[in-house]
Amino acid sequence: MKNLSLKQKLTILYTVLMTVNICAVLAVLFSLSNREILSSVQNRLRESVTGAFDDIDWEDGRLDFDSDILELENGVYLSVYDMDGALLYGKIPYGFDQSMDFRDGQVRRQKTGSVEYYVLDMSYAPEENVNLMVRGTISITDAEESFRITLRLALICLPLLVVLTAVLGYFMTRRTLRPVAHITETVLAIREEEDLSRRIGLGEGRDEIYRLASTFDSLLGQIEDSMKREKQFTSDVSHELRTPLSVILMQCDALLARDGLSGEVREEITVIQRKADSLSRMISQLLLLSRADQGREKVTMEILDFTGLSQMAAAEMEGIAAAKGIRLETAISPDIMVRGDETLLIRLWLNLLQNAVTYGKEGGCIHMGLWEDEDMVTGYVEDDGIGISARDLPHIWERFYRADSSRSNNGSSQNNNDSSQDNNSSSGLGLSMVQWIISVHKGTIQAVSEPGRGSRFTFRIPKEKKS
C-alpha cells in the first residue's frame, strides 16, 4: 500500500466499502425475498383450497364436482377425499405420497424425490352428514427456482457492478484530488524555476484542499518578501562596504609608497592590502550576484570568438598556476563561436581555473578543454588535487558553502567556491557565480570528483552557427 498513490488508495477503499454495502443489501433483500416468496406460496395455497369449496355441490343425494378443481390454477393441485382417505375427485402431483395423513388447517412440508411441496388440508361439509377433506398441494421447488435464477443473475452482475463502482470511484477521486495535483505541479515548478512569485491560485473554496492552497500562497508570499528583503540587504551592505575598503586599499598604497619603512612593517601592510583586496573582490562578486537575483544585472549578448576568449583566460592563469608549480595544459578547438557576454564568459573560465589552481596538487597538472558538436559547445577544467567528498558535492553551488575539511590547509576535501586569486582564502562565491553565468547562457554544468584524485567541471552552452 505504501507504493500506491492516494488516488489509488481512495479508489480501492471506496470500491471495497461499496462492494461490502452492496453485498450486505443484496443479502438482506434476498433473505426477505425468500421469506416473502414462501409466504406468498402459502397464501396462494390457502386461497386455492378455500376457493375449491365453491366447486363442490350436493345435489339429489350425491356430490357434484366442478371441473375447475382439475385446473392447476396458480400451480396448486386440488384433490377431494372422504373421511376414510379415499380420493373422490381431483389431481395430485406425480409421485406424491398419498398415504400422508390429514391435519385440518395446517400447512406442512412434504418432500417427494427432489421436489418439496407445501400441503394444506381443510375439512368441508357440503351437507350436515357429509364431511369431506380438501387437500391442496403446491411445489416449493418451482417457486424457489425463480428465486435462485434471480440470485444467480445477481451474482453474475455483481462483478460488473464492482468494476463499475471502481471506475466511478476512480474518476470521482481523480476529480476530487485534481487540485492536489495542481498544488504539487506548481510547487515543483517553483522549486525547479526558483520563481517565488508564482502562486497556486485555486480560487475561492471552503474545503480543506482550497484552504491548504490558500495557506501555501500566503506562505510563498511571506517567503518571497523575506527573500527580497535579504537580497536588498545584501546589495545595500555590499555597497556600503565598498567605500571603506577602497579607503583601506588607498591608505595601504600610500603607506607602501613611503620610504623608510622597516621590512616587518612593510610586510604587515602588504598582508592587510592583500586581504582587503581579496575582500573587495568578494564584495564585487556578491554585489553582482545580488543584482542578478533582483534582475538588475545587465547582460550584453553578442557573437563572440569563444576560442579566443578561452585562450586569453588560459594565458592569464598560466602564470598563477606556474607560481604553484602546476602545469596548465589546454586542448581548445579553433573557430568556436557563441552568443554571450564577453565579461561573464571570461569570468567563467577564470573562476573554474582559479578553483583548480587553489586546490590543485603542487607540481600537478590542470587540463582545460573546449570543443563543439552539432548544437552545443562543451568546456571542461580538470585538476588532480584534493577533490570533493560525496557529502559536499551536492552543495558546491551554494553561496558561502565551505566544506569543513577544506578550512584547514591539511584538509582532504576541496573548497568548492573559490574564485579569489589569494590562495590562502576563499570567498565561497566562485562556483555560485559560475552556475549563474551558465544559466544566463542557457547551458548546463556538472561536477564529478573523487577525494584525493581531483575534480572535473564540465559545462555546455549553445553554440552560434558560423555565417
Side-chain angles (χ1 to χ4, degrees):
M1 291 291 286
K2 293 182 179 180
N3 296 327
L4 297 178
S5 66
L6 181 59
K7 181 164 52 180
Q8 293 171 328
K9 291 179 181 178
L10 289 177
T11 301
I12 293 173
L13 178 62
Y14 174 79
T15 303
V16 170
L17 290 178
M18 288 299 297
T19 302
V20 171
N21 287 336
I22 291 172
C23 291
V25 170
L26 288 177
V28 172
L29 288 177
F30 281 122
S31 176
L32 295 176
S33 298
N34 188 39
R35 295 180 183 178
E36 185 64 26
I37 288 173
L38 295 179
S39 177
S40 175
V41 170
Q42 292 182 19
N43 291 334
R44 289 191 342 237
L45 179 59
R46 289 184 182 276
E47 291 175 359
S48 298
V49 172
T50 55
F53 295 165
D54 297 332
D55 298 328
I56 303 173
D57 294 323
W58 179 266
E59 294 181 359
D60 300 330
R62 68 184 184 85
L63 292 170
D64 184 27
F65 298 99
D66 195 313
S67 61
D68 288 345
I69 295 177
L70 298 178
E71 295 181 4
L72 292 176
E73 185 177 356
N74 295 326
V76 178
Y77 293 86
L78 295 174
S79 54
V80 183
Y81 298 84
D82 60 18
M83 298 311 293
D84 295 328
L87 178 62
L88 301 177
Y89 190 83
K91 201 173 193 180
I92 61 175
Y94 177 77
F96 184 77
D97 184 10
Q98 300 186 53
S99 64
M100 184 178 181
D101 59 337
F102 295 103
R103 294 184 185 177
D104 188 17
Q106 293 185 11
V107 178
R108 294 172 291 166
R109 299 173 77 108
Q110 175 68 26
K111 189 170 184 180
T112 301
S114 60
V115 181
E116 191 171 7
Y117 298 94
Y118 272 142
V119 179
L120 173 62
D121 299 323
M122 296 185 73
S123 61
Y124 175 63
E127 282 294 323
E128 186 175 339
N129 296 321
V130 179
N131 293 317
L132 302 176
M133 188 66 71
V134 179
R135 170 170 285 181
T137 307
I138 187 171
S139 172
I140 304 175
T141 305
D142 292 342
E144 290 181 335
E145 182 62 27
S146 60
F147 174 77
R148 283 192 287 269
I149 292 173
T150 306
L151 180 60
R152 285 194 292 268
L153 182 62
L155 293 177
I156 292 173
C157 294
L158 182 61
L160 299 178
L161 190 60
V162 171
V163 172
L164 180 62
T165 301
V167 172
L168 292 176
Y170 175 80
F171 282 105
M172 289 174 59
T173 304
R174 187 177 68 174
R175 182 176 181 83
T176 303
L177 295 180
R178 188 176 298 168
V180 177
H182 177 69
I183 292 173
T184 305
E185 292 171 0
T186 304
V187 172
L188 288 175
I190 292 172
R191 187 185 69 178
E192 293 175 359
E193 300 172 9
E194 298 182 355
D195 182 9
L196 292 175
S197 65
R198 293 189 59 174
R199 297 293 181 269
I200 296 171
L202 284 185
E204 297 294 330
R206 292 187 176 182
D207 64 24
E208 289 79 359
I209 295 178
Y210 280 85
R211 290 170 57 191
L212 176 64
S214 177
T215 304
F216 266 123
D217 285 342
S218 177
L219 179 62
L220 287 171
Q222 293 179 4
I223 295 175
E224 183 184 15
D225 292 340
S226 176
M227 294 297 293
K228 286 181 179 179
R229 288 195 297 269
E230 181 181 345
K231 292 173 183 177
Q232 187 62 45
F233 173 77
T234 302
S235 178
D236 294 342
V237 169
S238 300
H239 273 292
E240 294 298 326
L241 288 177
R242 295 182 73 178
T243 300
L245 280 174
S246 298
V247 173
I248 292 174
L249 289 172
M250 290 174 59
Q251 292 297 323
C252 288
D253 289 339
L255 289 173
L256 290 175
R258 292 182 181 181
D259 296 329
L261 292 177
S262 66
E264 183 179 353
V265 172
R266 186 175 295 276
E267 182 179 353
E268 291 176 351
I269 295 174
T270 302
V271 171
I272 295 173
Q273 182 187 45
R274 187 168 64 247
K275 294 297 183 181
D277 185 60
S278 174
L279 185 58
S280 177
R281 286 194 295 270
M282 183 188 72
I283 290 175
S284 296
Q285 293 181 92
L286 185 60
L287 188 59
L288 187 149
L289 289 174
S290 177
R291 289 197 299 263
D293 290 338
Q294 298 174 3
R296 297 189 293 109
E297 179 64 24
K298 184 178 180 181
V299 179
T300 303
M301 292 293 187
E302 55 185 336
I303 299 176
L304 301 172
D305 178 8
F306 200 26
T307 296
L309 291 180
S310 304
Q311 291 171 343
M312 288 173 53
E316 183 175 341
M317 292 301 301
E318 190 172 10
I320 298 175
K324 195 175 177 180
I326 298 175
R327 186 173 71 260
L328 176 59
E329 296 183 356
T330 61
I332 301 174
S333 299
D335 301 327
I336 296 178
M337 308 297 291
V338 298
R339 180 178 294 275
D341 185 294
E342 181 177 0
T343 302
L344 293 181
L345 289 178
I346 291 177
R347 187 185 292 268
L348 166 69
W349 278 122
L350 293 179
N351 284 6
L352 291 175
L353 290 171
Q354 181 61 53
N355 199 67
V357 169
T358 302
Y359 299 102
K361 181 174 59 177
E362 290 190 10
C365 181
I366 295 174
H367 297 275
M368 171 186 175
L370 183 71
W371 72 89
E372 63 180 342
D373 50 31
E374 293 183 358
D375 299 313
M376 305 293 287
V377 172
T378 302
Y380 75 91
V381 172
E382 183 177 9
D383 63 68
D384 54 1
I386 58 179
I388 308 171
S389 69
R391 182 188 64 183
D392 295 325
L393 192 60
H395 305 285
I396 61 175
W397 313 108
E398 298 175 10
R399 298 178 191 180
F400 300 110
Y401 181 80
R402 305 285 297 278
D404 291 339
S405 57
S406 70
R407 294 174 184 172
S408 124
N409 292 334
N410 298 325
S412 61
S413 174
Q414 178 174 333
N415 183 340
N416 42 45
N417 278 336
D418 186 21
S419 64
S420 171
Q421 293 182 13
D422 182 359
N423 293 346
N424 295 321
S425 65
S426 61
S427 66
L429 294 174
L431 292 184
S432 296
M433 182 168 293
V434 165
Q435 187 184 45
W436 174 73
I437 293 172
I438 291 296
S439 67
V440 166
H441 291 82
K442 297 179 173 55
T444 59
I445 186 168
Q446 63 177 357
V448 292
S449 182
E450 185 177 345
R453 303 191 64 177
S455 305
R456 179 186 177 100
F457 293 85
T458 305
F459 66 85
R460 286 171 61 82
I461 59 175
K463 78 171 186 178
E464 182 71 16
K465 294 183 179 180
K466 302 179 180 66
S467 59

